[in-house]
Amino acid sequence: TIVYQMALALSTRTRSSAFMVSPFQNRWLLFAVFVSIALHILLLMTPLSVIFSVKAIPILLWAEIIVGATLSFVIFEMYKVLPQRWRK
């Protein structure tokens, strides 16, 4: 899903943990993430959804997607922080 891909993009923007770097260091990436999510919401929540034959997903499913993407982001970040010897 797009939310998972945006979490992955934010996580892989640096080799060090994203929690140790300013989130505004790469403003173009933040802009691209915002525009991508905004365009998806626009597509799903307007008459454009009829033209493209897509349907909005229920709010509870959105919550599951956001929780899953957040957990993935945290796991990616923890993997970066763990010492190499623990990853083997």
Side-chain angles (χ1 to χ4, degrees):
T1 66
I2 189 66
V3 178
Y4 172 78
Q5 292 296 322
M6 296 301 107
L8 182 62
L10 291 172
S11 179
T12 58
R13 69 187 175 98
T14 179
R15 289 182 187 260
S16 61
S17 175
F19 298 116
M20 297 178 186
V21 179
S22 170
F24 302 106
Q25 187 176 14
N26 190 339
R27 293 175 196 257
W28 286 110
L29 178 61
L30 290 177
F31 177 73
V33 167
F34 174 77
V35 168
S36 178
I37 291 173
L39 287 174
H40 277 81
I41 291 171
L42 177 74
L43 177 67
L44 290 171
M45 304 298 180
T46 64
L48 288 174
S49 63
V50 175
I51 296 170
F52 288 95
S53 300
V54 294
K55 293 185 179 185
I57 57 177
I59 194 75
L60 289 176
L61 191 53
W62 272 113
E64 290 178 26
I65 291 169
I66 291 170
V67 167
T70 302
L71 286 174
S72 297
F73 178 81
V74 170
I75 290 169
F76 294 143
E77 293 305 310
M78 288 177 66
Y79 184 78
K80 289 190 229 177
V81 173
L82 290 175
Q84 280 286 356
R85 67 176 182 266
W86 290 359
R87 291 190 222 166
K88 293 181 181 179

